[in-house]
Amino acid sequence: VMIDLGDGKEVFGVTTYSPFIVTADDSLYRDYREDMTKLLTRNKPMVYNWAHEVMDTVDKMIDALDWLSTASVISCDIESTGFDFQSDELLSVGFGLIADGVPTGVIFPKEVIRDPRSKEILYLFMKTYPGVLVFHNIKFDLKFFKHWFDDDRFQPKNPADTMIIQY
């Protein structure tokens, strides 16, 4: 994966498990070994054809959510400053889907989600989105959303979790 460091600087990275985690759970070793083999045997990054856009205003957020609402399945992911939903903060909320055969991401950065209007807009979208809203480790993300939305009973309308699906 190419990681954009800003100012036109990019580095090649491989997303994998931490070696520390692998030593604690040897069932992850096979995946880790395969990831390291990919890293060591490739002389250039794997190319992923995907598009993404950072929505830097609430109006762009509204337009993006209107567009996302037409998809039958979208994914949702958050980035936070840490793992404690009560003291750490959300840095971004992102959604992904396949649009015209291309994986596409829509990202709402902290500057947008800190606007009080965004909270209400996202809350209503996630509560009423008619399609399947897919998370990876929904338990973690929902803790942040419940705290952020100030609603201990918050639940997306049609959630799915890739961790549960894989299990």
Side-chain angles (χ1 to χ4, degrees), residues 1-15 45 50 52-54 107:
V1 177
M2 290 304 292
I3 302 167
D4 183 359
L5 299 177
D7 298 332
K9 298 176 187 170
E10 292 183 325
V11 295
F12 174 56
V14 174
T15 305
W50 71 285
H52 70 283
E53 188 168 348
V54 176
I107 302 160

Side-chain angles (χ1 to χ4, degrees), residues 45-63:
M46 297 185 320
V47 176
Y48 293 99
N49 184 20
W50 71 285
H52 70 283
E53 188 168 348
V54 176
M55 302 297 156
D56 56 1
T57 68
V58 175
D59 289 336
K60 287 182 182 179
M61 170 191 267
I62 292 168
D63 290 344

Side-chain angles (χ1 to χ4, degrees), residues 144-161:
F144 272 90
F145 281 125
K146 286 177 180 183
H147 182 73
W148 187 53
F149 292 142
D150 196 27
D151 180 356
D152 290 337
R153 294 180 296 151
F154 171 75
Q155 182 75 21
K157 185 175 180 178
N158 296 312
D161 185 342

Side-chain angles (χ1 to χ4, degrees), residues 12 14 33-43:
F12 174 56
V14 174
R33 184 187 68 228
E34 288 174 7
D35 290 341
M36 290 301 101
T37 300
K38 286 179 196 173
L39 176 65
L40 295 172
T41 59
R42 295 188 68 86
N43 61 0

Side-chain angles (χ1 to χ4, degrees), residues 36-104:
M36 290 301 101
T37 300
K38 286 179 196 173
L39 176 65
L40 295 172
T41 59
R42 295 188 68 86
N43 61 0
K44 63 181 179 177
M46 297 185 320
V47 176
Y48 293 99
N49 184 20
W50 71 285
H52 70 283
E53 188 168 348
V54 176
M55 302 297 156
D56 56 1
T57 68
V58 175
D59 289 336
K60 287 182 182 179
M61 170 191 267
I62 292 168
D63 290 344
L65 293 175
D66 284 344
W67 176 68
L68 288 167
S69 69
T70 64
S72 60
V73 178
I74 59 174
S75 63
C76 180
D77 189 35
I78 65 168
E79 297 302 327
S80 63
T81 57
F83 300 112
D84 187 342
F85 68 94
Q86 292 179 322
S87 62
D88 292 316
E89 65 179 306
L90 286 175
L91 293 174
S92 67
V93 176
F95 293 94
L97 73 156
I98 306 295
D100 298 323
V102 177
T104 305

